[in-house]
Amino acid sequence: MSGQRYVGTVSDDHSGNNAGPARSDATQSASFGEQGGVLTYGSYLRVPELLAQQVRESDPPAHDELLFITIHQVYELWFQLLLAELTDARDRMLAGESYNPRVRLERCNVIERVLVGQVDVIDTMTPQDFLAFRTKLAPASGFQSAQFREIEFLSGLKDASYLDRFRGLSADERDRLLRRLDEPSLWDGYMALLASAGFAVATAEERFTALKTIANDRTQHGALWDLAEALMDHDQAWSLWRARHVLMAERQIGTKPGTGGSAGGAYLRSRVEFRFYPELWELRSLL
Ligand code: HEM
């Protein structure tokens, strides 16, 4: 395409006919991408600003610190998107929708598989190369990732004690976490949806009856079943990430304590068994 100009015509709507709305002469003669004439790839995506954020602490610079900063920042970007998708899924369930929440959760699941997969990148770092800058990190730790904890709270695993255990939480991060503790979780959204579909969900017994009815009649309740499965995928993916993260951490630091002050691998291992939706796991035993 180099050197070729793309000139829009009224048949560009791909409808196979020229019956689309007439455009002004100015629009017809503008090349694709020149209409606005303001944005570039770099300015739209703020590439210079983005690439200025990888600031190493080690001096002289330890080679692997750029990898370490980059991978954490990439996780935080994905966490931000996950929060947007999961919040929308929750809101739409609260409003009685089942289709879009499933679509959102399916996207989250693909992202979560990327999160698990990209652990391979940090595994290319050796413990010796990590030690070249690790002492600079304490007491900073992934434990202080506010977005990670927001995802947990939004998903249903709410533990207010984390707010006291966080060191160096900004006022904004604290506000966001307090809001997530107060807000309905994804599970609350799903329960609201079941209630709007006529199921009683106030007690554990009622919820199991509802979940079993849905599971046993997928012709009638297919959309609700699919949504429950999408929640399971989210729960399972988070647990897989936790399990992968323990191995990543132990591969680097063995049985040493973490930079955040925890027992390290032992603390992380204790969290692998946490589940967002224990009732969906228990349902399996009842089928
Ligand atoms: C060299 C690689 C890594 C090591 C050795 C490591 C080690 C640890 C340790 C020991 C903890 C427990 C808290 C503490 O005492 O510090 C922790 C927590 C955590 N790390 Fe990592 N980590 C690594 C990479 C990552 C990456 C790439 C992420 C991505 C965001 C991450 C996210 C987290 C999160 C979210 C927690 C809190 C987990 C929880 O409380 O359930 N870590 N990490």
Side-chain angles (χ1 to χ4, degrees), residues 40-279:
T40 64
Y41 176 88
S43 68
Y44 176 57
L45 300 174
R46 315 217 170 193
V47 175
E49 292 89 338
L50 185 65
L51 299 184
Q53 304 307 313
Q54 293 70 43
V55 182
R56 284 180 266 201
E57 287 291 327
S58 55
D59 185 19
H63 180 82
D64 281 12
E65 195 180 354
L66 183 59
L67 160 74
F68 189 80
I69 294 171
T70 303
I71 193 151
H72 281 85
Q73 289 184 344
V74 169
Y75 270 106
E76 289 295 333
L77 287 175
W78 285 126
F79 289 165
Q80 179 170 249
L81 183 61
L82 281 178
L83 280 167
E85 301 288 344
L86 294 172
T87 303
D88 192 63
R90 187 268 325 265
D91 290 346
R92 286 172 184 271
M93 285 193 284
L94 288 172
E97 264 189 66
S98 61
Y99 173 76
N100 275 307
R102 180 179 57 73
V103 170
R104 302 284 179 269
L105 283 163
E106 278 171 4
R107 174 174 296 162
C108 290
N109 193 246
V110 178
I111 295 168
E112 285 159 351
R113 276 183 261 157
V114 171
L115 298 188
V116 175
Q118 72 188 26
V119 172
D120 289 345
V121 183
I122 195 115
D123 277 352
T124 63
M125 181 171 73
T126 62
Q128 304 91 305
D129 291 331
F130 184 35
L131 283 171
F133 60 93
R134 184 173 188 239
T135 47
K136 297 270 179 196
L137 305 180
S141 159
F143 186 77
Q144 295 163 332
S145 167
Q147 290 201 108
F148 178 86
R149 212 60 68 189
E150 266 192 85
I151 293 172
E152 290 198 332
F153 289 178
L154 172 59
S155 299
L157 197 62
K158 294 184 181 180
D159 183 347
S161 73
Y162 269 103
L163 267 76
D164 303 323
R165 291 157 68 193
F166 267 121
R167 272 180 288 187
L169 203 60
S170 72
D172 174 61
E173 287 173 329
R174 170 168 283 273
D175 279 357
R176 282 194 281 124
L177 284 165
L178 284 171
R179 228 177 305 133
R180 294 288 182 193
L181 281 173
D182 264 3
E183 282 177 3
S185 67
L186 278 155
W187 184 246
D188 296 328
Y190 187 61
M191 287 302 113
L193 183 61
L194 296 197
S196 71
F199 291 101
V201 292
T203 66
E205 204 182 326
E206 285 173 343
R207 287 194 293 278
F208 279 122
T209 304
L211 294 173
K212 272 195 288 183
T213 306
I214 290 164
N216 289 328
D217 189 355
R218 284 173 288 164
T219 311
Q220 180 78 17
H221 303 296
L224 294 176
W225 171 256
D226 284 351
L227 200 42
E229 286 295 270
L231 288 168
M232 279 293 279
D233 286 339
H234 171 50
D235 200 349
Q236 177 173 294
W238 214 247
S239 188
L240 284 172
W241 184 84
R242 289 180 197 285
R244 195 70 181 78
H245 176 263
V246 181
L247 294 176
M248 174 213 305
E250 287 180 344
R251 181 181 173 130
Q252 294 296 335
I253 61 170
T255 55
K256 294 179 203 167
T259 47
S262 83
Y267 161 74
L268 295 171
R269 205 168 284 284
S270 74
R271 294 195 51 84
V272 175
E273 295 307 317
F274 279 92
R275 295 285 178 271
F276 295 146
Y277 314 115
E279 292 183 1

